[in-house]
Amino acid sequence: MIRHHPSDTTLMAHAAGHLPALHARVLAVHLAACPHCRDELRMMEEIGGALLATMPPAPLRADALERSLARLDDAMPIAAPRAAATTLESLATGRWWWLGPGIRLMPLVRRDASDTRLDLIRVAPGMALPGHGHNGPEIACILQGGYADETGHYNTFDIAEGDPSLQHTPVALPGPECICLIATTGRLRAHTWLARLVQPLVGV
Ligand SMILES: [Zn+2]
């Protein structure tokens, strides 16, 4: 059962088209599995559309098309997987890299124009990710298994959102390996020797 949903702020940003493209890719995995959030999103989009309809028409700037295309370029994914991919099979198109005992990482998008990267991370049951903090917003959706950290227990298709105030040490729950899709904006702040060691290697 899904217990952790995206915040209203995140859903509203998505409805307005303001969520960073790679964060939206993570959210898509949750939305595919969560009718509740799909309904919320539809409602927000309808309200947004109704508000737009009441606004007086404004003349387009001469460079409107050029600017829109430039924004599209920024938002375009740099590499595989396909934007619509929401299953582990369709997302895991790269190679798993050894990151530490029981921990593997598959980089999907190295870093886009908004300084966001997209990764799959795979952690064996009972293993902990090195403790770390964040310099920017992060959104994760669990594709398999689950983990616990200082903020709670997260299971398959749950969303976990982090910001610069989050310091955590996620530990994979017993059962199948925990596999998460994570979009991270900005660099992580590593707290341990292992994290500091692997950070330059994988560029997280
Ligand atoms: Zn939901």
Side-chain angles (χ1 to χ4, degrees):
M1 194 185 109
I2 297 174
R3 275 185 302 185
H4 296 277
H5 303 270
S7 67
D8 283 350
T9 313
T10 298
L11 272 185
M12 274 192 283
H14 188 52
H18 293 157
L19 206 61
L22 296 178
H23 288 236
R25 297 264 288 274
V26 175
L27 191 60
V29 176
H30 178 84
L31 288 171
C34 183
H36 167 76
C37 284
R38 287 203 300 272
D39 284 349
E40 293 264 297
L41 185 65
R42 201 171 304 126
M43 210 170 65
M44 288 172 180
E45 284 168 346
E46 279 167 13
I47 293 169
L51 280 177
L52 274 179
T54 62
M55 284 164 68
L60 279 181
R61 291 169 49 142
D63 61 349
L65 179 64
E66 197 182 316
R67 285 155 53 93
S68 298
L69 288 176
R71 277 174 54 193
L72 267 181
D73 280 348
D74 285 347
M76 291 288 272
I78 295 163
R82 292 175 293 117
T86 56
T87 63
L88 180 56
E89 294 70 34
S90 57
L91 284 159
T93 51
R95 175 186 158 187
W96 289 106
W97 294 82
W98 187 89
L99 214 65
I103 306 170
R104 279 163 206 274
L105 182 94
M106 185 187 290
L108 296 178
V109 177
R110 288 286 184 183
R111 217 164 265 289
D112 72 3
S114 70
D115 196 25
T116 304
R117 53 178 294 139
L118 186 69
D119 298 284
L120 283 170
I121 192 149
R122 188 168 127 192
V123 184
M127 297 300 298
L129 275 187
H132 60 275
H134 300 263
N135 284 317
E138 175 187 80
I139 182 167
C141 188
I142 300 179
L143 291 156
Q144 175 186 297
Y147 74 85
D149 70 6
E150 291 81 345
T151 64
H153 279 65
Y154 297 84
N155 286 299
T156 311
F157 298 127
D158 276 346
I159 284 279
E161 295 188 75
D163 62 28
S165 68
L166 176 67
Q167 311 275 337
H168 66 158
T169 307
V171 181
L173 296 174
E177 277 185 313
C178 178
I179 304 182
C180 296
L181 178 68
I182 308 181
T184 314
T185 303
R187 306 267 160 177
L188 296 183
R189 292 195 309 271
H191 292 165
T192 67
W193 65 270
L194 178 63
R196 281 193 208 103
L197 186 72
V198 298
Q199 194 163 38
L201 299 179
V202 296
V204 292

